């Protein structure tokens, strides 16, 4: 609603829908705080991620690094490209097998030989905590995307 107000749009929402979303987000926040695993920040490059742990990194879902020569990377720290814009579309790159492999590694804690294993930026968290956090984030991103699409439709009319 605040986004709509900032954009100068009027949006009507069934209050029960809004209350239901608020209630679900509140439950997720309580679960997240109650079960939060300890975070081990400032890992050095020489320290591997322990078994059952992963990096607390949402970048492969939210960010891409595009180099001047067209190479696309999921993070500025990863040197291996997931593709090249001169040869593939952006949609194919952000949903392609290479970036999905990076995402799968983070979700499972399988960072073997991966640059994520040696990352010194993102803290280490339990795989369960990361999955729960990402599940909540994906729901919020989907809701935000739908709301922006609705606002675009209202602005056209």
């Amino acid at each position: 609603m605040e986004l709509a107000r900032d954009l100068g749009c009027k949006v009507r929402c069934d209050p029960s829908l809004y209350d239901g979303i608020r209630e679900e987000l509140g439950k997720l926040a309580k679960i997240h705080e109650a079960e939060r695993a300890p975070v081990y920040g400032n890992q050095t490059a020489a320290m591997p991620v322990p078994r059952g742990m992963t990096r607390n990194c949402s970048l492969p879902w939210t960010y891409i690094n595009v180099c001047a020569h067209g190479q696309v990377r999921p993070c500025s720290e990863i040197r291996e490209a997931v593709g090249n814009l001169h040869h593939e579309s952006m949609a194919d790159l952000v949903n392609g097998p290479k970036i999905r492999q990076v995402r799968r590694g983070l979700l499972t804690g399988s960072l073997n030989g991966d640059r994520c294993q040696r990352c010194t930026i993102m803290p280490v968290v339990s795989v369960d905590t990361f999955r729960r956090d990402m599940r909540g984030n994906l729901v919020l991103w989907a809701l935000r995307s739908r709301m922006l699409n609705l606002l675009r439709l209202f602005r056209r009319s």
Side-chain angles (χ1 to χ4, degrees):
M1 296 296 205
E2 294 164 0
L3 180 60
R5 185 188 65 235
D6 292 346
L7 294 173
C9 299
K10 292 182 181 179
V11 176
R12 291 183 189 177
C13 181
D14 180 351
S16 64
L17 175 65
Y18 180 70
D19 291 340
I21 291 171
R22 183 184 312 161
E23 183 179 322
E24 286 301 313
L25 292 176
K27 287 179 189 176
L28 286 172
K30 286 178 185 175
I31 291 170
H32 172 71
E33 289 304 316
E35 299 177 2
R36 187 109 182 123
V39 175
Y40 307 99
N42 301 324
Q43 297 282 331
T44 64
M47 294 179 68
V49 175
R51 185 180 202 94
M53 306 294 274
T54 190
R55 295 283 174 195
N56 190 16
C57 178
S58 63
L59 291 179
W61 287 269
T62 61
Y63 171 86
I64 58 166
N65 179 293
V66 180
C67 300
H69 46 7
Q71 284 193 328
V72 175
R73 300 178 180 136
C75 168
S76 59
E77 295 297 311
I78 295 178
R79 298 291 171 236
E80 303 83 24
V82 296
N84 192 302
L85 279 176
H86 297 297
H87 309 293
E88 301 167 79
S89 71
M90 183 63 75
D92 289 340
L93 291 172
V94 299
N95 292 308
K98 290 182 181 179
I99 198 159
R100 291 173 70 123
Q101 181 179 352
V102 173
R103 292 173 183 154
R104 189 176 306 112
L106 287 164
L107 288 168
T108 62
S110 301
L111 306 175
N112 299 337
D114 195 54
R115 179 69 179 153
C116 300
Q117 178 73 255
R118 300 179 307 274
C119 177
T120 59
I121 299 169
M122 298 301 181
V124 175
V125 296
S126 75
V127 170
D128 292 337
T129 297
F130 182 69
R131 284 182 181 172
R132 186 181 56 243
D133 291 352
M134 284 305 298
R135 194 169 28 249
N137 288 340
L138 291 172
V139 168
L140 291 175
W141 295 331
L143 287 172
R144 180 180 180 273
S145 176
R146 287 181 184 154
M147 182 61 101
L148 289 173
N149 287 336
L150 285 172
L151 290 174
R152 286 185 193 109
L153 288 173
F154 285 123
R155 291 190 88 173
R156 288 185 199 154
S157 52

